[in-house]
Amino acid sequence: MDPARGQGQLIGRLSGHVVEEGDEGTVVLDVSGVGYEVTVPLGAVGRARGIAANAKAGSDAITLFVHTHVREDALLLYGFATREDRAAFRVLIGISSIGPKIAMAILSALGAGELAAVISRRETARLTAIPGVGKKTAERLVLELKDKLVHLPAAPLSPAAPPPAATGAKQDLLHGALTRMGYRPAEAERAVTALGARVDSAPLGDLVRDALALLSK
């Protein structure tokens, strides 16, 4: 059995409330009174909250799509805001010498759609900018993933280090709120830009809600 796939079927999804957020990319998700410790990529919780808000679920509960990683000494849960990100994670850890730690680093820098775009364009520089990914690893990723991410829609790439286009105090507040929620700076900048002139006039709470809706799409 392929460990990257077979083991991942133990727990496939968790829905609950985040009660703790750790410094090492972990969260504790309370599901009916049971706390599950889940490792998530940067931005996953924010995107999951945005998806829940966009669905108008009526609560602050989020859903994480989970890969269960079994080792001899541990059972580890890795959570993602979308099925596509989980699918990309499973493809990544199926590559020789790519473990969960590097896979999570990649998905913290690039969502599944962005990763598919990077691979299709053979942009190894975007991969080597990720901590833990050297030139040889980037080249192997491009080679081995070129036919394995074709089922994922390639998303437009954000700049690797975007200059802050929002200069006003209100824009800065919104950008900061989104990044504190776990979104990547490029994603926060994209939402601020998409909201345009509304940022100057609408209440911050409404702007955050609308930005989450944009980022959940």
Side-chain angles (χ1 to χ4, degrees), residues 61-84:
I62 66 169
T63 294
L64 294 176
F65 296 91
V66 174
H67 173 85
T68 307
H69 191 74
V70 179
R71 301 190 322 211
E72 291 184 0
D73 60 341
L75 188 150
L76 306 173
L77 303 180
Y78 295 92
F80 306 90
T82 66
R83 291 183 176 88
E84 291 76 14

Side-chain angles (χ1 to χ4, degrees), residues 35-202:
Y36 292 87
E37 184 174 273
V38 186
T39 300
V40 296
L42 179 65
V45 171
R47 284 190 292 278
R49 285 172 174 155
I51 291 169
N54 199 39
K56 298 179 180 179
S59 75
D60 59 352
I62 66 169
T63 294
L64 294 176
F65 296 91
V66 174
H67 173 85
T68 307
H69 191 74
V70 179
R71 301 190 322 211
E72 291 184 0
D73 60 341
L75 188 150
L76 306 173
L77 303 180
Y78 295 92
F80 306 90
T82 66
R83 291 183 176 88
E84 291 76 14
D85 281 350
R86 182 181 62 183
F89 176 81
R90 288 175 172 171
V91 171
L92 284 167
I93 63 174
I95 296 175
S96 175
S97 79
I98 302 295
K101 185 175 181 179
I102 293 180
M104 294 298 277
I106 292 171
L107 291 171
S108 289
L110 299 167
E114 289 181 308
L115 178 60
V118 164
I119 297 302
S120 68
R121 299 173 191 178
R122 303 182 65 86
E123 296 184 359
T124 56
R126 290 296 299 268
L127 296 170
T128 56
I130 300 170
V133 178
K135 183 178 179 181
K136 290 184 178 179
T137 299
E139 291 172 346
R140 186 169 65 254
L141 286 169
V142 168
L143 179 64
E144 297 199 28
L145 293 179
K146 63 180 181 180
D147 297 322
K148 296 181 179 178
L149 297 179
V150 292
H151 63 290
L152 297 177
L157 290 176
S158 304
T167 56
K170 193 77 167 291
Q171 290 92 334
D172 291 342
L173 284 172
L174 177 58
H175 190 279
L178 294 172
T179 55
R180 284 193 298 275
M181 292 175 69
Y183 284 99
R184 306 178 187 97
E187 292 175 320
E189 191 63 42
R190 174 166 61 86
V192 172
T193 301
L195 289 173
R198 286 198 62 234
V199 176
D200 294 324
S201 57

